[in-house]
Amino acid sequence: MQRGENVMRKIIIYIFAGLVILYQIIFLTWCVFNKESMSLGGYLIFALSGIGILALISLLNSIFSRSKFTSILTFNIFISATTYLIMQIISYFYEPLIFTDGVKERLLLEAKKKGIEISLGISVGSIISSVMILSLIIALITFIGYSVGKLIRRDKKSK
């Protein structure tokens, strides 16, 4: 029965990862049509919310999984990194439509006024560093979720 539960759990995680990608496509399409009213804060919240959703998926997976820690960690990092890379590929195609010269200047000026150093665009270096940071975040969250899951299962056994 446990093998069927693992397969179903993985299917649900794949579905949620697909929904994160769909969320990004919808948001980027909205940005194309509303690029003149887009603010720096809104764009940053969008970028971080995708990573937050991936972290939440990893947390829930590690809490409710009964597999070994290493297999949970490997699966969580694989799903998160793959989803993030797909999101970056999609963003690459939307970038010229959203970040016209006027929009770039306005957002960079807004960032400068707030004292934020930001790069609007996608580069290989930023993708690699982002995947490394995401993997570290996912590893920490997986460890926390795995520990919580063990405590929950231990409490159920003691009752």
Side-chain angles (χ1 to χ4, degrees), residues 102-153:
V103 174
K104 268 188 180 179
E105 287 178 25
R106 184 174 51 80
L107 291 177
L108 289 173
L109 184 63
E110 185 180 341
K112 188 176 180 182
K113 285 180 182 177
K114 293 182 179 182
I116 300 171
E117 192 171 319
I118 190 168
S119 170
L120 296 174
I122 299 174
S123 67
V124 175
S126 69
I127 291 174
I128 291 171
S129 63
S130 296
V131 168
M132 291 173 60
I133 291 170
L134 177 66
S135 298
L136 178 64
I137 291 168
I138 297 300
L140 291 172
I141 287 177
T142 300
F143 177 74
I144 292 168
Y146 184 77
S147 300
V148 169
K150 279 179 65 174
L151 288 173
I152 291 171
R153 286 189 290 281

Side-chain angles (χ1 to χ4, degrees), residues 66-101:
R66 295 179 182 196
S67 302
K68 292 181 181 178
F69 177 73
T70 53
S71 65
I72 297 170
L73 181 63
T74 304
F75 181 74
N76 284 350
I77 289 176
F78 170 75
I79 285 295
S80 298
T82 304
T83 304
Y84 184 77
L85 289 174
I86 292 170
M87 290 168 59
Q88 290 303 308
I89 291 169
I90 293 168
S91 293
Y92 177 77
F93 291 112
Y94 274 91
E95 184 180 319
L97 300 172
I98 297 171
F99 294 124
T100 58
D101 291 335

